[in-house]
Every structure is written in structure tokens, then in C-alpha cells.
Amino acid sequence: MKIVLLGPPGSGKGTQANLICKKYDISHISTGDIFRTNIANGTALGKKAKEYIDAGSLVPDELTIKIVEDRLKQDDCKNGFVLDGFPRVRTQAEALSKMTQIDKAIMIDLDDEEIINRLSKRRMCRKCGNPTHLDNLINGYCEKCGGEVYTRADDAPEVIKQRLIKQKLPQDVVDFYKDLGLFEKINSTNSMEETFKLVDSILSGIKE
Ligand code: ADP
Ligand code: ZN
């Protein structure tokens, strides 16, 4: 099963990707996570990506497409994968179509007001990596493992604004998947369990 998840930041793409991967035993590929790991490790890729990410801009295609291409060649992708955060522009969608054939592109949608609300309250756990919400914390610590939490640098209010302006999903990406008959859209206003039910009803229609 090869799935693309589209949608704005804060829509819960990452959470849905995790749930899909667990249920179907496939790999979760998040370009944002790959960049953040590279930034944390101080790699050349990380250094280049950081200036774009800090400005709320997209990382250029030359860097982004290559990392996805390399990642898809790894063994754990043979069984399938969920791409979370890629493609974000038409050129990336076209490049991806040359690498492999996707089964569905599912857009997890949310309106701007709710995005800002969610991102400004998002916290990340240093220990287990769990993305969570201010309201879920227990005495200020991760509700899953008790670890310390922090705010992602690009979840600062000014960067959130920039991301929403500069990273609006272009209609031509939607059209690309509509034209292939692979596009599905669901709204993410409900709980993550409710949203997953909608996602899973789409996935159960895919023939292996
Ligand atoms: P979110 O979906 O919460 O905005 P991600 O973790 O998916 O965040 O991505 C973080 C940042 O990494 C983005 O704001 C962008 O700068 C960069 N990035 C991630 N994926 C891509 C991509 N496919 N193309 C260009 N830049 C990307
Ligand atoms: Zn934790």
C-alpha cells in the first residue's frame, strides 16, 4: 500500500500516518522529520534545510526530491509506505510519479483558524518524540512517557503565519491526483480516532 497524505500543517497528517503504518505495517516517511533529524545531527543537508524551515519556506526541490528518492529505495519501503509532507508542489508530485505508483492521495483538511489554534499549542516530547497538545500534558510533561516537552522552532506564531502563506497546498497538486483518479479528501475537525475511521474506510477500498 502506497499512500500520500496531503494537507496543511497541524491537520494531524503525522498522527494519521502513524495510525496507518501501525495497522498496515508499512513505513512512515515524513520529509519534515528527515530534515529535523539532519538539523539535529548537524549534517550538510540539515544546515541547508534549516534556513528555509526557520523562515517558514519550502526547502528547494533539489534537496527534497533526492531525500525521498533515496528513502523509497530502502528495504522497509518494499511493503509500502505513507508519505507525510511530500509532495507539496506539483514538481514534487511529478517526480514522485516517476519513482513509484501511488494507490491513493488523501487530503486531511482543516481551516486556518483551527490550524493556528493547534500549532500554537503543539508541543513535542524530547524523550519519545510524541507530538502532543498543551492541554494533554500531565503537570507539564509528556502524557505518554513523562518526558520533557518543547515547542518546535517553526511553531512560533510568526513562523506559523509564514508557513500558512508560503506553503498553501497548490491546486495543481490536487488536480494532479484528481486527474489520476486517486484523490480523496476528508475533514480533520473531529477526534483523531474519528478521522482515522474515515481514512481507513478509504484504505480498505484499495486492492493489494
Ligand atoms: P508541518 O506539516 O507541521 O508544517 P513538516 O514537519 O511536514 O511540518 O515540515 C517542516 C518543514 O520542513 C516545512 O515547513 C518545510 O520548510 C520543510 N519541508 C517538509 N517537507 C517538505 C517538502 N516536501 N518540500 C519542501 N519543504 C518541505
Ligand atoms: Zn514522551
Side-chain angles (χ1 to χ4, degrees):
M1 185 184 280
K2 296 173 180 173
I3 306 298
V4 161
L5 288 185
L6 306 169
S11 63
K13 287 193 304 290
T15 305
Q16 295 303 319
N18 280 326
L19 293 169
I20 298 170
C21 291
K22 225 195 236 162
K23 175 157 181 185
Y24 293 95
D25 192 27
I26 54 181
S27 293
H28 181 184
I29 305 174
S30 156
T31 41
D33 283 349
I34 295 174
F35 288 136
R36 279 186 289 278
T37 305
N38 275 277
I39 291 170
N41 294 335
T43 66
L45 170 67
K47 285 191 185 113
K48 282 186 213 151
K50 188 175 187 311
E51 52 175 295
Y52 298 97
I53 293 176
D54 286 351
S57 306
L58 287 177
V59 177
D61 280 356
E62 305 90 84
L63 297 176
T64 310
I65 291 173
K66 177 83 171 64
I67 63 165
V68 172
E69 206 170 6
D70 291 344
R71 186 67 188 80
L72 292 184
K73 284 181 189 150
Q74 288 172 25
D75 273 355
D76 65 330
C77 293
K78 289 219 172 83
N79 202 19
F81 53 80
V82 177
L83 264 173
D84 160 14
F86 184 96
R88 269 169 150 94
V89 287
R90 175 95 178 195
T91 42
Q92 294 179 359
E94 285 165 355
L96 177 63
S97 71
K98 296 193 180 101
M99 297 174 210
T100 186
Q101 206 177 340
I102 292 300
D103 296 306
K104 284 278 177 206
I106 305 173
M107 173 154 175
I108 313 219
D109 207 12
L110 199 65
D111 56 41
D112 280 5
E113 200 183 325
E114 185 59 21
I115 292 170
I116 293 168
N117 174 38
R118 285 197 196 176
L119 290 183
S120 56
K121 291 186 176 175
R122 177 159 72 179
R123 297 293 182 273
M124 308 293 290
C125 176
R126 274 191 213 290
K127 206 165 148 194
C128 74
N130 174 40
T132 183
H133 194 273
L134 205 51
D135 300 342
N136 297 338
L137 303 181
I138 298 173
N139 299 323
Y141 290 93
C142 173
E143 76 282 7
K144 281 200 182 144
C145 78
E148 201 182 295
V149 298
Y150 65 98
T151 307
R152 254 172 62 175
D154 58 351
D155 283 342
E158 195 40 48
V159 187
I160 293 175
K161 250 187 253 159
Q162 292 303 317
R163 284 156 70 200
L164 289 179
I165 297 167
K166 296 178 185 165
Q167 301 194 26
K168 217 165 178 43
L169 184 72
Q171 183 61 33
D172 60 3
V173 174
V174 172
D175 291 342
F176 183 85
Y177 289 111
K178 275 191 178 163
D179 290 345
L180 292 168
L182 301 178
F183 184 76
E184 306 276 352
K185 179 171 163 175
I186 58 183
N187 209 293
S188 174
T189 21
N190 295 317
S191 69
M192 67 180 205
E193 291 85 2
E194 288 301 317
T195 305
F196 184 63
K197 274 187 203 155
L198 298 174
V199 171
D200 204 25
S201 68
I202 295 169
L203 300 182
S204 58
I206 298 173
K207 291 199 186 68
E208 279 301 299

